[in-house]
Amino acid sequence: MTALLEIEKLEVTFGRTAAVRGASLAVAPGETHCLVGESGCGKSVTALSVMNLLVRNARRRAERLAFQGEDLLKLSDSGMARLRGNAMAMIFQEPMTSLNPAYTVGSQMTEVLRRHKRASQRAATDRAADLLARVGITAPGMRLGQFPHQLSGGLRQRVMIAMALMCDPQLLIADEPTTALDVTVQAQILRLLAGLQRDLGLGLLLITHDLGIVARVATRVSVMYAGEVVESAPTAELFANPRHPYTQGLLRCVPVPGKIRRDQPLGAIPGTVPRVGPDFEGCAFRERCDFADETCKHAIPRHHASTAHDFLCRLPA
Amino acid sequence: MIAIEVRNARKTFKAGKRTVVAVDDVSLSVPEGGVMGIVGESGCGKSTLARLVLGLLPADSGDIAIDGQRLADLDRKARARLIQPVFQDPFASLNPLARVRDIVAMPLVAQGRFGKADITKTVQEMLARVGLGKEMGGRLPSELSGGQRQRVAIARALVLRPRIVVCDEPTSALDVSVQAQILNLLAELRRDLGLTYLFISHNLAVVEHVASEVAVMYLGRLVEREPTETLFAAPEHPYTKALLASVLTPEPGLGVPDVGLGDTLPDPANIPPGCRFHPRCPIAEPRCATTTPPLKPRPNGGVECLLA
Amino acid sequence: MRRGWRNAGTWAGAIIVGIAAFCAVFAPLLVPHDPFAQDLGKRLLVPFWMPGTDPNHLLGTDQLGRDYLARLIYGCRISMMIGVSVSLVSGVIGITLGVLGGFMGGRVDDVVLFAITTRLSLPVVLVALAVVGLLGSSMTLLMITLGLLLWERFAVVARSTTMQVRNLDFVAAAWCAGCSRFRILAGEVLPNIASHLVVVATLEIALAILLEAALSFLGLGVPPPLPSWGLMIAEAKDYMFFSPWVIVIPGVCLFVLVLGINLLGDGLRDMLGARSDT
Ligand SMILES: Nc1ncnc2c1ncn2[C@@H]1O[C@H](COP(=O)(O)OP(=O)(O)OP(=O)(O)O)[C@@H](O)[C@H]1O
Ligand SMILES: Nc1ncnc2c1ncn2[C@@H]1O[C@H](COP(=O)(O)OP(=O)(O)OP(=O)(O)O)[C@@H](O)[C@H]1O
Ligand code: SF4
Ligand SMILES: [Mg+2]
Ligand SMILES: [Mg+2]
């Protein structure tokens, strides 16, 4: 099957900072692809560059950036606007910034459908109510008439999801959709997303920094570090056999309920993520890595642990 | 010796015409050297309870004692020597215009009885103790990463060598790798300095890692309290069960559990009669809506549920 | 691009205010002539860009033959003195009230709010006119009157920013550290609201300068023969058809100075605002 979204060697720079440095990933239809990594490693920037929503001073370059085989790099602004919110939709990290506080939930939801599909107000309202019910909102009619600030965080996030689904997208990019929420609400939202994704067969690119979420919902995982995808593998394989030292460290940091020894320290990765410029060479993790040596200062090969599992490290496969 | 003793504390806030009951008749005690973990969802009153214990807010009623002395009887300097906070947001908890060394020195300066040289030396030692280099002393908070800021906040909290530290979600704003660093640091400091922690978090895995005892809060009340092992092995309150069920452990293939709580969040200004959890409780019976559950004592804790 | 223009505006404002401040401080050294010396033989000389000008009087002379450049520079001094001292007096009053209200809350805040509302219901110009009319015009009186009238913006801004800062965790940490109320106010709260107050101060300076000019124009501000710009415009208005520059020069100066202060204030707000966000 051809991929829904293909990103090859994506590079994004903001002046002297390189936010994304040659990241590649692909999302197949019906797949949940998780992008994990620490704060500032370039997850959101990757998502925004797919949607072509980067700020002015960002420079985007890629060998290939395609949606359903269509080259997004060559697409005009209006062509992009036609896709955005339509065949590919995004749920943003901060729901308050992407919901307009001046309009009701209903008018914002119907507007999307009227713009892209020229639906009547009546049909759009029906669809909005239907979707709100689907995302588990009990009184959709009432919620349509409310303003974003009248909703709790969990409800707002559900509204965002429903809004993203208005035009039957094939690809949904969700940028940390549950980070701001309580664990119980988080579980509900993720369950909902997983269910919708299964029922509608859409490709889901889920951005998160929570390995628990990754383990539970992803079919495939890409681990990002300082703008690079340092490891990519099917979920089960990544957790069973992490190959990149950063992935290994990350997995050791997470306290696992039931396996906790209170008297023992957690495995921690010392140090912090470095800021790197566009011409940085070698492995960005080398300052914090137990296995680093001289060769890590130069270009690093990408090794394959298996056909679907590759990682970026000098250590042999 | 009891380090923290809270008896029937209650705190309400007026928000316009509505009265929010943030902490409702809460009692709890933490033995010296213990770590009391407090979990519960956003808005259930965890921070308010922390502020009551720190003496930042006066309780409407009830008694709070620190180290055997009533909080109300302690003057601010004596209180500062006993109990100190570490807050959640490492950006808001440091004065953006003050240098790191002045931030850490503040509790010493406020005592008003240490010499300049003394203060400088203690601050240096404290910074080294939390893993910050000498050169960090001259920096502004905006020049530090989140983890480094939290280390500064910890240094400030410990510079007076208090007995009790109230940690209000100290790692919630941090990345996992930094969270692990900070949790390890807090554990190490507790061991070395014999500290007592009141440790608030919404991350149950973190609480299980650090706490010796856990109290679960729901809409202002403690609904269950047990030693950590007991609580995680055999939770009794349906809310505790839901909380535990929603923890996503990094174990692939298990899928996302069904928590079964519904989508309506509780309103702290409009607390349901009977058991305050009944509108969301998956096992509620008709009597839950009318009877307020009494505290059912357990060997080392208790639970407030009619069906427990 | 927009940033570029904004920066240019800030720089322009800073340069204008800088020049004005320089003129105000060093006025006695800068003036070519005594600004009060009349020379009725040289009345209404034209400025340098017009034919028939006198090289001794670059900007010409006024209806009493006083050097216009000297009067302009001294007028700048008066404007700046009024602006700065009014904003000092009102700043002290407004910031004290606002910070106290915002920090203490409760009763104290109610009193402060009442004071602000009362002040807002007083028409500034009318009250100033009445006071000057009753007590006679003098520069000190003008400064005190305006200072006592223009504090409400300081109070409002100081109060709301104090309320925001008061609830931040670093203030809570200072309480827990055992700091006294005074130390928290002076060490934690005030420095963190200062940037907002600086912006208010620039606006107040501009407002005070305009009010002084207006009152002086009405003859109830700075008493003659002091060369206030407002007074210069008032004195020149009878000659404006034949010698338009006598009214144009102080008018333009007033406009440019107030514009410069506002530009600088806007720039400061952007700069300081951006910094407090990060
Ligand atoms: N508008 C911008 N201008 C300059 N630098 C930016 C901008 N947006 C992002 N960056 C930089 O790009 C890098 C990647 O940012 P990004 O937002 O993608 O991180 P992230 O992985 O989404 O982190 P988080 O988990 O905190 O959301 C960061 O170092 C950030 O400082
Ligand atoms: N100063 C205040 N004025 C009015 N209401 C308040 C105030 N502080 C807290 N509350 C209310 O009291 C309740 C408990 O708040 P609290 O901050 O203690 O919750 P929390 O458990 O710490 O939540 P979170 O996990 O989001 O930090 C909330 O409903 C909150 O809105
Ligand atoms: S390339 Fe070198 S520094 Fe990077 S992860 Fe591998 S061993 Fe460590
Ligand atoms: Mg992001
Ligand atoms: Mg809180």
Side-chain angles (χ1 to χ4, degrees):
Chain A
M1 195 163 10
T2 62
L4 194 59
L5 174 72
E6 299 160 76
I7 304 175
E8 269 171 44
K9 296 245 155 56
L10 175 70
E11 286 177 28
V12 182
T13 50
F14 297 94
R16 295 298 303 156
T17 38
V20 181
R21 304 180 301 132
S24 304
L25 59 93
V27 184
E31 179 187 61
T32 302
H33 193 131
C34 272
L35 193 57
V36 272
E38 285 181 61
S39 186
C41 70
K43 306 183 295 294
S44 298
V45 171
T46 304
L48 291 174
S49 52
V50 172
M51 304 296 283
N52 200 7
L53 287 175
L54 289 169
V55 291
R56 278 274 170 72
N57 67 335
R59 302 209 70 80
R60 174 183 79 168
R61 260 192 318 275
E63 272 177 19
R64 184 170 166 75
L65 191 64
F67 174 69
Q68 292 180 315
E70 190 174 2
D71 191 348
L72 296 181
L73 293 170
K74 297 219 180 74
L75 209 59
S76 65
D77 279 357
S78 64
M80 215 39 232
R82 184 169 45 74
L83 277 181
R84 214 184 289 137
N86 193 3
M88 59 189 200
M90 179 157 173
I91 302 170
F92 293 91
Q93 190 162 357
E94 179 41 64
M96 248 352 222
T97 57
S98 37
L99 284 174
N100 189 331
Y103 294 94
T104 60
V105 168
S107 64
Q108 295 187 57
M109 288 184 72
T110 52
E111 207 271 334
V112 188
L113 199 67
R114 286 159 60 85
R115 179 155 42 94
H116 286 300
K117 302 270 198 252
R118 314 229 161 274
S120 69
Q121 179 66 40
R122 190 56 197 279
T125 310
D126 286 350
R127 172 141 178 93
D130 185 40
L131 276 171
L132 285 186
R134 243 181 119 159
V135 297
I137 289 179
T138 34
M142 174 186 83
R143 300 300 182 195
L144 280 177
Q146 285 186 317
F147 289 91
H149 66 87
Q150 293 172 308
L151 306 176
S152 72
L155 279 173
R156 234 178 263 150
Q157 207 52 274
R158 283 169 210 250
V159 167
M160 289 294 302
I161 295 174
M163 198 148 112
L165 295 175
M166 280 300 277
C167 297
D168 287 315
Q170 268 101 56
L171 173 72
L172 180 60
I173 301 179
D175 190 356
E176 315 222 15
T178 58
T179 305
L181 304 177
D182 278 314
V183 278
T184 54
V185 184
Q186 160 169 302
Q188 291 172 42
I189 299 270
L190 287 174
R191 204 176 154 76
L192 171 81
L193 263 182
L196 287 169
Q197 193 255 344
R198 202 178 43 240
D199 298 349
L200 307 175
L202 43 83
L204 178 61
L205 179 63
L206 180 66
I207 296 176
T208 176
H209 58 244
D210 185 338
L211 285 164
I213 296 180
V214 175
R216 300 307 189 92
V217 302
T219 33
R220 191 179 174 81
V221 191
S222 291
V223 182
M224 264 188 112
Y225 187 80
E228 283 173 315
V229 174
V230 293
E231 185 158 12
S232 178
T235 312
E237 191 169 336
L238 186 100
F239 281 87
N241 185 20
R243 299 303 298 272
H244 196 282
Y246 174 64
T247 317
Q248 293 170 355
L250 213 51
L251 285 172
R252 275 197 304 269
C253 284
V254 191
V256 182
K259 293 183 190 154
I260 284 172
R261 301 253 52 85
R262 196 170 330 127
D263 30 357
Q264 276 170 19
L266 288 164
I269 311 175
T272 49
V273 188
R275 285 198 166 259
V276 294
D279 36 355
F280 184 85
E281 212 200 342
C283 176
F285 188 57
R286 62 179 183 244
E287 302 289 329
R288 308 171 73 187
C289 178
D290 291 336
F291 304 96
D293 69 6
E294 273 304 302
T295 50
C296 301
K297 290 188 181 151
H298 308 291
I300 304 288
R302 189 170 284 277
H303 288 297
H304 282 269
S306 69
T307 40
H309 182 178
D310 57 72
F311 61 97
L312 192 67
C313 174
R314 72 166 185 95
L315 299 173
Chain B
M1 186 75 194
I2 304 292
I4 306 173
E5 173 91 65
V6 178
R7 226 175 298 131
N8 306 101
R10 186 181 157 87
K11 178 74 195 173
T12 56
F13 293 107
K14 283 247 177 336
K17 282 199 194 102
R18 296 149 43 101
T19 305
V20 173
V21 186
V23 169
D24 192 0
D25 199 12
V26 164
S27 300
L28 110 167
S29 66
V30 189
E32 194 165 322
V35 179
M36 171 65 81
I38 297 194
V39 293
E41 63 199 334
S42 179
C44 72
K46 304 183 296 293
S47 298
T48 307
L49 180 61
R51 279 165 191 267
L52 291 179
V53 171
L54 284 164
L56 283 171
L57 284 174
D60 294 356
S61 62
D63 275 319
I64 297 170
I66 299 293
D67 210 35
Q69 306 169 65
R70 284 188 53 213
L71 203 55
D73 297 340
L74 290 167
D75 71 350
R76 58 184 163 80
K77 290 187 196 169
R79 196 184 62 213
R81 288 194 299 270
L82 277 178
I83 187 166
Q84 283 291 329
V86 176
F87 294 109
Q88 166 177 5
D89 183 354
F91 290 85
S93 67
L94 305 180
N95 182 348
L97 300 176
R99 308 237 162 239
V100 165
R101 66 170 97 81
D102 298 326
I103 292 173
V104 177
M106 189 173 63
L108 295 169
V109 175
Q111 289 290 321
R113 51 181 189 138
F114 297 103
K116 239 196 173 129
D118 240 11
I119 292 180
T120 315
K121 189 164 145 281
T122 319
V123 168
Q124 286 292 356
E125 283 168 9
M126 204 60 235
L127 284 178
R129 190 73 191 72
V130 298
L132 291 174
K134 257 209 178 81
E135 74 286 356
M136 293 290 177
R139 296 227 194 146
L140 289 171
S142 55
E143 298 160 354
L144 303 179
S145 71
Q148 288 170 331
R149 288 172 195 230
Q150 213 56 316
R151 285 173 196 267
V152 174
I154 293 173
R156 171 179 62 193
L158 294 183
V159 76
L160 278 177
R161 296 296 150 110
R163 311 277 283 281
I164 305 160
V165 180
V166 176
C167 308
D168 189 357
E169 314 216 24
T171 61
S172 301
L174 305 176
D175 271 317
V176 271
S177 72
V178 186
Q179 163 173 299
Q181 294 170 6
I182 297 291
L183 289 178
N184 287 343
L185 174 67
L186 283 171
E188 187 189 314
L189 290 167
R190 187 181 73 83
R191 239 188 351 263
D192 296 354
L193 307 177
L195 300 169
T196 305
Y197 286 163
L198 188 67
F199 192 97
I200 294 172
S201 178
H202 59 250
N203 186 330
L204 283 145
V206 167
V207 169
E208 187 182 1
H209 181 76
V210 299
S212 50
E213 238 183 307
V214 182
V216 180
M217 240 178 138
Y218 186 80
L219 267 189
R221 275 196 81 82
L222 290 189
V223 293
E224 184 164 8
R225 199 192 128 192
E226 295 283 355
T228 311
E229 287 76 18
T230 325
L231 187 104
F232 280 82
E236 287 198 77
H237 198 284
Y239 179 65
T240 314
K241 288 180 187 164
L243 270 185
L244 285 178
S246 33
V247 179
L248 302 176
T249 54
E251 296 167 291
L254 292 184
V256 187
D258 185 2
V259 188
L261 289 188
D263 75 328
T264 36
L265 285 186
D267 177 1
N270 185 11
I271 290 177
C275 170
R276 58 191 62 207
F277 183 55
H278 84 263
R280 297 172 78 198
C281 181
I283 59 164
E285 292 181 354
R287 64 187 164 121
C288 297
T290 50
T291 323
T292 307
L295 177 72
K296 296 185 180 167
R298 294 290 181 263
N300 289 305
V303 55
E304 281 185 2
C305 172
L306 292 170
L307 303 173
Chain C
M1 191 63 201
R2 260 191 58 213
R3 256 200 98 80
W5 278 115
R6 292 231 121 172
N7 267 333
T10 312
W11 276 111
I15 291 170
I16 293 169
V17 174
I19 293 175
F22 183 81
C23 289
V25 174
F26 296 107
L29 304 178
L30 291 174
V31 290
H33 298 274
D34 180 354
F36 303 104
Q38 303 182 3
D39 184 348
L40 292 175
K42 290 187 173 174
R43 294 170 58 204
L44 291 172
L45 286 183
V46 294
F48 66 90
W49 63 82
M50 290 167 71
T53 172
D54 178 340
N56 265 329
H57 299 280
L58 270 183
L59 290 182
T61 56
D62 70 0
Q63 66 284 353
L64 296 176
R66 297 174 293 199
D67 182 60
Y68 226 49
L69 181 59
R71 287 187 72 75
L72 206 66
I73 291 177
Y74 264 84
C76 176
R77 182 179 214 185
I78 287 174
S79 285
M80 292 299 273
M81 267 166 77
I82 297 263
V84 170
S85 53
V86 165
S87 124
L88 268 180
V89 173
S90 58
V92 169
I93 301 173
I95 294 170
T96 312
L97 285 177
V99 167
L100 277 182
F103 193 67
M104 314 279 263
R107 283 278 162 73
V108 180
D109 193 33
D110 291 344
V111 172
V112 170
L113 264 184
F114 179 74
I116 293 176
T117 335
T118 315
R119 157 56 204 92
L120 279 175
S121 56
L122 291 178
V124 175
V125 177
L126 285 189
V127 174
L129 281 177
V131 170
V132 176
L134 278 177
L135 301 178
S137 64
S138 88
M139 198 153 140
T140 333
L141 183 66
L142 194 67
M143 286 177 193
I144 295 174
T145 314
L146 288 181
L148 287 175
L149 282 172
L150 293 181
W151 51 266
E152 90 283 353
R153 203 164 358 182
F154 277 110
V156 169
V157 172
R159 178 172 169 274
S160 63
T161 50
T162 302
M163 280 179 159
Q164 282 165 20
V165 171
R166 181 187 69 170
N167 288 324
L168 291 176
D169 281 346
F170 68 83
V171 175
W175 283 115
C176 293
C179 294
S180 63
R181 216 173 264 231
F182 176 76
R183 186 184 290 280
I184 290 175
L185 261 183
E188 311 287 309
V189 176
L190 265 185
N192 282 292
I193 65 169
S195 59
H196 300 270
L197 298 178
V198 169
V199 175
V200 177
T202 56
L203 296 178
E204 292 301 319
I205 291 178
L207 183 62
I209 288 176
L210 279 180
L211 274 175
E212 178 270 328
L215 289 173
S216 297
F217 180 81
L218 295 176
L220 289 163
V222 174
L226 283 178
S228 149
W229 289 350
L231 199 56
M232 285 165 75
I233 296 176
E235 289 170 347
K237 65 181 184 295
D238 297 337
Y239 307 91
M240 69 188 213
F241 290 110
F242 304 106
S243 319
W245 69 89
V246 289
I247 206 160
V248 168
I249 291 174
V252 166
C253 284
L254 189 61
F255 169 74
V256 170
L257 179 58
V258 170
L259 180 74
I261 296 175
N262 278 315
L263 283 175
L264 183 65
D266 279 354
L268 284 177
R269 188 182 51 216
D270 287 356
M271 253 150 58
L272 300 167
R275 216 186 66 193
S276 60
D277 284 349
T278 51

